[in-house]
Amino acid sequence: MINKKSMKVILLKSVIHLVSLSLLVNVYYLAINDQLGADPVEAVLHFTGIGAFNLLLLSLLVTPIVKYCQWRIFMQVRRLLGLYSFTYALCHVLSFLAFEVQFDWPLFIEEIYQRPYVTIGMAAFVILLTLAVTSISAMKKQLGRKWQLLHNWVYLALLLVAIHFYWSVKSEIIEPSIYIILALGLLWFRKDKFTRWLANKHRANNH
Amino acid sequence: THPLKFQASPATSESLTPEQKVLSHNNFYEFGTNKSDPSENAQQFKVKPWQLKVSGEVEQEITLDYDDLLKRFSLEERIYRLRCVEAWSMVIPWIGFPLAQLIKQAKPLAKAKYVAFETLYDPQQMPGQNSRRIGGGIDYPYVEGLRLDEAMHPLTLLSVGLYGKTLPPQNGAPIRLVVPWKYGFKSIKSIVSIRLVEKMPPTTWNLLAPNEYGFYANVNPEVDHPRWSQASERRITTGGLFARNRIETLPFNGYGEQVAELYKNMDLRQYY
């Protein structure tokens, strides 16, 4: 029999699935039918990009919420939020390839290595891809202690995504600046973790 | 907007960007930085009364009011490609008259070497002008400039309409510049002042990021924007996400035959 707590988890997960998927389906439906403004390509890129960033921020908000508000239930949806962030990022990258550069592979490669803001965006995507693949329970078991070390790379991904956004705009920097502050705020919650890590590194170097 | 009388352009093989897209996809930061902001926020914009002043190094200062803009010169339709520095483009049937006709009436003095343009400054009507959040943090009023020979070139148009009607506010009513071989940001909107000057005038995007936006801003597939390629562009026409609309960008936006002469001894990598 399903108890009350797991009912809540199922409900929460259903809401996340419903919202994330329906927004995504809706935006592609409108874009394909040319109902998303004059330039549906730009609109899709913006939507999936900012969506991936929002979901990444939400996934990183889980730990502070659990720690300070004792809402342990959110721990059960951290992986789901992370996976949806990856899904949006995947849509972002694939849409760039398919609709922006339209499978002009030389141009695609050139943009990745020549444009710093694309380079770091792609670096962040590679991190998210790695984390998504290793988020499977079996992988988590297999990696053991290394799993947490690997998944700490999400903090780097967060910073890269924030810079990618800031760097991509022409002059309207207020929104990306707010996102940078939010990202730094979430990293601030982990300051003990970073100081521990630095101390360990320091000790390792001295031996 | 209301219908205009004009001489129609000869037919073109290029497919026009649908009117609805020309009207809803605008960079006009005075009304917001999203492409759809100007069409949403500019509808109350008042173009009557209007004053456009031609001054500076001229024998004859001229002031045009709203009716003069539409009636002083005979209007003609010009179908031009518009290439945005952001690597998208449109094909738009503008209506207007050559800027040269207006400048000739003002009789430029020998000292005049450049032309400086200025957009209306009216934060009451243009909310972006006193809000960094809405206006994207550029300095207002928006200013642009051309060399006098560029301004006198027969392709350089002062536009008062598009698709057969007067300009909608989001497209730069009541009068705007159209310089089809340069990136779109040169084509300043809602102009109140045209001043003939001796020295190269400051221009808005160049002031903001000189390494990204030059004074000349000629469309050039060989000179990339520091953050993206200018070798190709997406042409906005009909069709949704699956429209195969990426095309090669042409030097001077395809108007090289007419305008390359203006830059014959210039290094276009240096003067981008």
Side-chain angles (χ1 to χ4, degrees):
Chain A
M1 212 185 89
I2 304 168
N3 65 25
K4 213 171 148 192
K5 194 174 158 225
S6 51
M7 256 323 272
K8 272 191 191 163
V9 173
I10 290 168
L11 196 70
L12 198 54
K13 282 188 174 175
S14 307
V15 170
I16 293 168
H17 278 297
L18 197 70
V19 173
S20 312
L21 278 178
S22 61
L23 288 176
L24 206 54
V25 169
N26 177 55
V27 90
Y28 278 99
Y29 175 82
L30 292 176
I32 287 164
N33 292 298
D34 202 11
Q35 287 166 4
L36 203 63
D39 190 358
V41 178
E42 190 199 30
V44 161
L45 286 175
H46 283 179
F47 178 81
T48 52
I50 209 75
F53 201 171
N54 287 336
L55 285 157
L56 187 61
L57 289 172
L58 281 178
S59 74
L60 287 166
L61 194 60
V62 166
T63 304
I65 279 185
V66 169
K67 197 168 163 192
Y68 294 98
C69 309
Q70 305 293 322
W71 292 339
R72 289 177 187 288
I73 183 172
F74 282 96
M75 211 50 166
Q76 309 285 323
V77 297
R78 190 174 66 168
R79 174 166 72 178
L80 189 62
L81 288 168
L83 282 172
Y84 266 119
S85 174
F86 166 72
T87 306
Y88 272 59
L90 181 67
C91 289
H92 187 61
V93 173
L94 290 180
S95 294
F96 181 74
L97 172 64
F99 308 128
E100 177 66 41
V101 304
Q102 301 178 5
F103 296 110
D104 181 342
W105 287 96
L107 179 63
F108 182 67
I109 307 292
E110 194 188 306
E111 292 288 279
I112 291 171
Y113 84 88
Q114 254 187 21
R115 321 277 162 213
Y117 87 98
V118 185
T119 313
I120 59 170
M122 194 50 92
F125 176 69
V126 170
I127 294 175
L128 291 184
L129 173 68
T130 311
L131 303 191
V133 169
T134 56
S135 71
I136 307 163
S137 301
M139 286 292 274
K140 189 171 179 179
K141 258 192 207 118
Q142 207 182 341
L143 283 164
R145 274 192 59 232
K146 284 189 201 137
W147 187 88
Q148 187 56 55
L149 284 175
L150 179 66
H151 278 246
N152 283 345
W153 282 75
V154 72
Y155 305 125
L156 178 62
L158 178 70
L159 280 178
L160 294 177
V161 169
I163 298 166
H164 169 72
F165 183 28
Y166 186 90
W167 223 339
S168 70
V169 300
K170 263 163 82 193
S171 73
E172 51 285 22
I173 56 169
I174 291 180
E175 198 188 349
S177 302
I178 292 170
Y179 272 87
I180 286 179
I181 291 166
L182 290 175
L184 292 175
L186 286 172
L187 292 178
W188 180 251
F189 278 112
R190 276 90 176 171
K191 64 180 189 299
D192 293 344
K193 201 168 177 177
F194 294 122
T195 44
R196 261 203 317 275
W197 178 68
L198 283 172
N200 282 340
K201 248 194 124 67
H202 188 67
R203 221 174 302 141
N205 285 344
N206 284 351
H207 276 288
Chain B
T1 60
H2 60 83
L4 284 169
K5 271 197 188 136
F6 58 92
Q7 193 195 334
S9 154
T12 160
S13 58
E14 279 173 308
S15 39
L16 300 182
T17 300
E19 183 176 3
Q20 199 41 50
K21 293 201 171 196
V22 177
L23 267 47
S24 61
H25 193 75
N26 311 98
N27 276 327
F28 198 175
Y29 283 15
E30 281 82 343
F31 296 104
T33 56
N34 287 328
K35 297 286 185 292
S36 57
D37 286 344
S39 63
E40 284 161 19
N41 301 335
Q43 295 314 313
Q44 303 306 315
F45 185 66
K46 285 194 186 68
V47 294
K48 267 191 251 185
W50 195 266
Q51 273 208 338
L52 167 59
K53 233 180 144 179
V54 184
S55 63
E57 306 293 348
V58 292
E59 245 176 71
Q60 182 71 57
E61 283 202 355
I62 300 175
T63 303
L64 302 176
D65 66 17
Y66 181 80
D67 285 333
D68 293 332
L69 300 179
L70 303 182
K71 290 181 182 141
R72 183 151 169 164
F73 303 93
S74 59
L75 301 179
E76 55 182 298
E77 184 180 46
R78 299 267 184 100
I79 297 173
Y80 281 160
R81 296 176 287 278
L82 174 100
R83 170 62 157 81
C84 179
V85 75
E86 297 164 1
W88 53 266
S89 62
M90 293 183 172
V91 181
I92 303 174
W94 300 108
I95 295 156
F97 54 89
L99 171 62
Q101 292 185 3
L102 177 59
I103 292 181
K104 272 182 203 150
Q105 288 196 354
K107 297 182 185 146
L109 300 171
K111 274 200 278 185
K113 295 283 183 283
Y114 292 91
V115 185
F117 303 86
E118 204 174 301
T119 295
L120 176 72
Y121 183 75
D122 185 357
Q124 292 264 304
Q125 291 204 78
M126 295 173 150
Q129 289 181 334
N130 60 6
S131 157
R132 281 188 67 88
R133 186 178 58 78
I134 301 171
I138 64 177
D139 277 334
Y140 295 103
Y142 195 94
V143 288
E144 257 306 335
L146 294 172
R147 228 167 48 191
L148 185 57
D149 58 344
E150 297 176 322
M152 298 302 286
H153 193 280
L155 284 179
T156 305
L157 197 73
L158 277 176
S159 168
V160 295
L162 59 84
Y163 266 107
K165 291 165 289 208
T166 51
L167 284 178
Q170 64 270 33
N171 295 83
I175 189 161
R176 65 169 291 167
L177 187 65
V178 181
V179 193
W181 71 93
K182 292 176 179 286
Y183 291 120
F185 66 85
K186 294 296 288 182
S187 294
I188 183 171
K189 301 183 178 86
S190 306
I191 306 169
V192 291
S193 163
I194 297 177
R195 225 156 32 81
L196 281 84
V197 293
E198 250 187 287
K199 298 214 172 84
M200 183 183 278
T203 58
T204 292
W205 282 98
N206 178 250
L207 289 172
L208 190 89
N211 62 323
E212 300 191 350
Y213 311 100
F215 173 82
Y216 286 95
N218 291 318
V219 175
N220 191 343
E222 308 266 301
V223 178
D224 284 347
H225 185 282
R227 287 182 285 142
W228 57 84
S229 166
Q230 296 289 26
S232 57
E233 68 203 46
R234 281 189 308 100
R235 173 66 53 81
I236 294 175
T237 51
T238 46
L241 208 47
F242 291 106
R244 300 288 83 179
N245 57 4
R246 185 162 282 279
I247 55 174
E248 305 251 297
T249 291
L250 300 172
F252 301 109
N253 202 20
Y255 299 96
E257 233 171 84
Q258 293 100 309
V259 302
E261 184 75 2
L262 296 171
Y263 312 100
K264 62 183 174 213
N265 292 319
M266 284 172 65
D267 176 1
L268 296 175
R269 289 191 169 276
Q270 189 186 348
Y271 299 102
Y272 53 90

